[in-house]
């Protein structure tokens, strides 16, 4: 057997460190839970901050910056860097879900919960609803969206599974996004099939091998990739066959090729369609123009109820004390804009993927869904750019310069686009070795990116 290199030995040692210090990791998670609940609950009972409030002198602004300026944008960044380490090391919702499951009824997971469409549906509903109630701005909306998700996680844990994270595996609103982004991680817990098989054949073994409690319910023996692994390290060294190992960031997308139609819908219509509309609606001049035209049309016909801003805060943004309330027309326009973005951008891209797939010969190991996996870098970049817009807004309010931000955002978008094109080329190469066919398919793939990239460029020029 060849001697593993220093990087591989270091990675394996890191995995063993996680396994040996599981209790320390759990204490860290409880610390995060405490801070999370404090920032989630306390601002609800405080008055809304005015324009003079800042991060260092107002708890509500500090909580807003913690959740939307730091937490969500950079948790997203951590996925392609560390895999789902956030889920296994720090996530308060996952910790509470597992804690509840340890004390719950332990019922079997029902079939409806295993439906493959939940990641897309949960992400879409949470994204749209968060915009309707202005989750990035107001503590009550944060408590409703994030707190509601946490309560649901605890509720599922109390009923289903035993010491598992059933909510995280099947119903968490960001599970699907984390799943696809973690495929880019340069680390994973690798299973040595030969070593596993050898451990089962050792008849002289006196002490049976203890089972590993894999909280996200992975079949360890057949585990491939990092998409569902929470990187907790509990399985490190199991049967002398599992170890944290380095790998190519492209390996899981190009070689493992675990793709399906629901992942394609999440990437194309969710992360690159609906999310785009959710991030861009507030900066769209077209939305303002259409709203004004509709408002004038309604007033001319004496139809006034759509212009009323009397919806409850948990349905539409309603904070008259700071002159921020959505009318029914505002809510309808917002929904229409997000739906149109999902249909137009996602539909165009889906059609381009279908065309690219048709230009390549059919193969058992290659489908349109695998080709859609090449979009993961660009889809993740888009979600990060949208979330980080809140970060930049908060930093501007603190007086920090942001003259460099557009250049940085253009660079990120360009790099992510080039990476997606490279992945698409490599996937196409596994389908057809002829450069002509590949070039035609990649041209169709690139054409599908035009509306998505164009929308972000327009946003950068307006925002």
């Amino acid at each position: 057997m060849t001697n593993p290199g220093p990087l591989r030995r270091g990675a394996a040692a890191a995995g063993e460190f996680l396994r040996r210090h599981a209790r320390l990791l759990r204490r860290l998670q409880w610390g995060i839970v405490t801070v999370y609940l404090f920032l989630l609950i306390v601002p609800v009972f405080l008055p809304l901050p005015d324009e003079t409030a800042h991060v260092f002198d107002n708890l509500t602004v500090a909580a807003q910056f913690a959740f939307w300026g730091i937490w969500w944008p950079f948790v997203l960044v951590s996925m392609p860097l560390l895999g789902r380490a956030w889920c296994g090391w720090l996530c308060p919702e996952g910790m509470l879900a597992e804690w509840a499951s340890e004390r719950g009824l332990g019922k079997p997971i029902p079939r409806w919960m295993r439906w493959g469409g939940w990641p897309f549906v949960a992400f879409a509903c949470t994204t749209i609803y968060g915009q309707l109630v202005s989750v990035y701005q107001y503590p009550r909306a944060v408590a409703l969206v994030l707190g509601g998700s946490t309560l649901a996680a605890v509720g599922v844990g109390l009923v289903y599974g035993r010491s598992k994270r059933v909510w995280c595996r099947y119903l968490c609103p960001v599970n699907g996004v984390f799943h696809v982004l973690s495929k880019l991680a340069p680390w994973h817990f690798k299973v040595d099939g030969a070593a596993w098989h050898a451990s089962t054949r050792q008849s002289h073994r006196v002490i049976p091998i203890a089972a590993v409690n894999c909280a996200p319910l992975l079949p360890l023996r057949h585990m491939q990739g990092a998409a569902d692994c929470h990187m907790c390290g509990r399985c490190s060294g199991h049967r002398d066959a599992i170890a944290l190992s380095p790998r190519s960031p492209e390996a899981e997308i190009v070689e493992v090729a675990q793709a399906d139609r629901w992942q394609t819908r999440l990437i194309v219509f969710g992360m690159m369609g609906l999310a785009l509309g959710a991030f861009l609606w507030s900066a769209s001049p077209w939305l303002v123009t259409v709203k004004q035209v509709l408002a004038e049309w309604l007033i001319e016909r004496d139809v006034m109820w759509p212009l009323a801003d009397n919806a409850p805060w948990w349905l539409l943004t309603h904070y008259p004390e700071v002159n921020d309330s959505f009318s029914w027309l505002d809510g309808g326009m917002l929904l229409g804009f997000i739906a149109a973005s999902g249909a137009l951008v996602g539909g165009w891209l889906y059609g381009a993927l279908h065309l690219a797939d048709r230009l390549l010969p059919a193969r058992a190991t290659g489908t349109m869904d695998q080709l859609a996996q090449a979009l993961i870098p660009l889809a993740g970049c888009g979600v990060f750019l949208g979330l980080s817009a809140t970060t930049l807004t908060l930093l501007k309010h603190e007086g920090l310069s942001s003259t460099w931000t557009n250049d940085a955002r253009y660079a990120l978008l360009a790099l992510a686009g080039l990476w997606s094109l490279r992945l698409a080329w490599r996937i196409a190469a596994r389908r057809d070795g002829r450069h002509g066919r590949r070039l035609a398919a990649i041209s169709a793939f690139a054409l599908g990116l035009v509306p998505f990239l164009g929308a972000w460029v327009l946003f950068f020029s307006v925002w």
Side-chain angles (χ1 to χ4, degrees):
M1 180 181 294
T2 60
N3 186 40
L7 182 60
R8 191 170 297 276
R9 290 197 302 269
E16 284 297 293
F17 177 88
L18 291 171
R19 181 183 62 81
R20 292 195 304 269
H21 294 85
R23 289 186 179 181
L24 177 62
L25 201 59
R26 199 170 179 91
R27 293 192 190 101
L28 175 62
Q29 289 173 327
W30 277 118
I32 297 295
V33 167
T34 302
V35 174
Y36 167 73
L37 293 177
F38 177 79
L39 294 177
L40 187 71
I41 296 170
V42 174
V44 172
F45 300 98
L46 300 176
L48 291 176
D50 57 26
E51 291 296 324
T52 63
H54 293 277
V55 170
F56 297 108
D57 60 21
N58 188 281
L59 180 60
T60 300
V61 178
Q64 181 187 15
F65 187 74
F67 282 130
W68 307 116
I70 299 175
W71 176 5
W72 281 110
F74 293 99
V75 164
L76 203 72
V77 171
S78 75
M79 296 297 150
L81 295 178
L82 298 172
R84 299 184 65 165
W86 163 262
C87 299
W89 302 355
L90 301 172
C91 180
E93 199 164 276
M95 176 69 241
L96 290 170
E98 187 175 353
W99 174 83
S101 181
E102 291 168 353
R103 293 155 178 79
L105 301 177
K107 290 187 176 183
I109 302 169
R111 184 176 180 181
W112 66 265
M113 194 177 289
R114 299 176 186 267
W115 178 52
W118 285 124
F120 172 76
V121 171
F123 174 77
C125 291
T126 304
T127 299
I128 294 170
Y129 183 64
Q131 295 300 313
L132 291 173
V133 297
S134 296
V135 72
Y136 300 149
Q137 285 80 39
Y138 297 107
R140 284 193 294 184
V142 175
L144 182 63
V145 175
L146 297 185
S149 177
T150 301
L151 288 176
V154 173
V156 169
L158 288 172
V159 178
Y160 300 109
R162 176 64 66 191
S163 300
K164 303 298 182 185
R165 298 189 176 194
V166 177
W167 168 266
C168 305
R169 177 61 188 266
Y170 296 110
L171 300 177
C172 173
V174 289
N175 172 51
V177 175
F178 290 174
H179 174 98
V180 297
L181 291 180
S182 295
K183 294 184 178 187
L184 299 172
W187 317 96
H188 72 136
F189 278 95
K190 183 179 180 180
V191 181
D192 185 334
W196 187 294
H197 183 67
S199 72
T200 63
R201 296 175 60 87
Q202 292 181 9
S203 59
H204 64 275
R205 188 182 300 276
V206 178
I207 302 175
I209 300 174
V212 174
N213 173 34
C214 181
L217 299 128
L218 270 67
L220 296 179
R221 182 173 183 175
H222 305 289
M223 179 172 63
Q224 296 186 65
D228 291 312
C229 174
H230 285 194
M231 303 293 283
C232 63
R234 298 177 193 179
C235 64
S236 180
H238 183 59
R239 293 182 179 271
D240 295 325
I242 303 179
L244 185 63
S245 303
R247 64 173 185 174
S248 165
E250 299 181 353
E252 188 162 349
I253 291 176
V254 177
E255 297 167 14
V256 177
Q258 292 181 336
D260 58 58
R261 193 52 48 91
W262 278 113
Q263 285 186 45
T264 300
R265 290 165 182 160
L266 173 65
I267 295 167
V268 174
F269 291 103
M271 297 172 68
M272 301 183 75
L274 294 176
L276 180 73
F279 292 132
L280 269 56
W281 71 268
S282 61
S284 172
W286 303 320
L287 187 67
V288 174
T289 301
V290 173
K291 177 188 169 184
Q292 289 175 343
V293 171
L294 285 176
E296 291 173 1
W297 186 86
L298 291 168
I299 291 171
E300 289 174 358
R301 286 155 180 78
D302 199 30
V303 180
M304 305 304 294
W305 68 265
L307 305 179
D309 59 356
N310 56 358
W313 67 268
W314 47 264
L315 185 59
L316 292 175
T317 300
H318 185 75
Y319 298 94
E321 63 270 36
V322 292
N323 297 316
D324 189 11
S325 295
F326 285 1
S327 67
W328 296 101
L329 178 60
D330 289 327
M333 292 296 299
L334 193 157
L335 287 173
F337 186 88
I338 295 176
S341 297
L344 295 176
V345 176
W348 177 272
L349 185 51
Y350 193 85
L353 285 174
H354 181 72
L355 176 60
D357 182 61
R358 292 292 298 271
L359 290 170
L360 295 168
R363 291 285 187 274
T365 58
T367 67
M368 188 185 79
D369 297 319
Q370 187 189 357
L371 195 60
Q373 299 281 299
L375 294 167
I376 291 174
L378 198 53
C381 180
V383 178
F384 172 75
L385 290 173
L387 289 172
S388 63
T390 302
T391 308
L392 296 174
T393 299
L394 293 168
L395 290 176
K396 282 182 181 179
H397 183 68
E398 297 301 316
L400 297 179
S401 173
S402 59
T403 56
W404 53 272
T405 54
N406 265 4
D407 291 338
R409 293 192 292 191
Y410 281 124
L412 283 174
L413 200 62
L415 290 172
L418 290 173
W419 194 1
S420 285
L421 288 171
R422 171 183 161 82
L423 286 170
W425 181 263
R426 290 193 63 193
I427 291 169
R430 295 173 67 88
R431 299 271 298 274
D432 193 332
R434 291 170 293 179
H435 280 69
R437 297 288 292 268
R438 273 190 283 167
L439 187 59
I442 297 306
S443 298
F445 180 91
L447 184 63
L449 305 179
V450 171
F452 177 81
L453 295 173
W456 277 114
V457 170
L458 179 63
F459 174 73
F460 297 159
S461 64
V462 173
W463 189 81

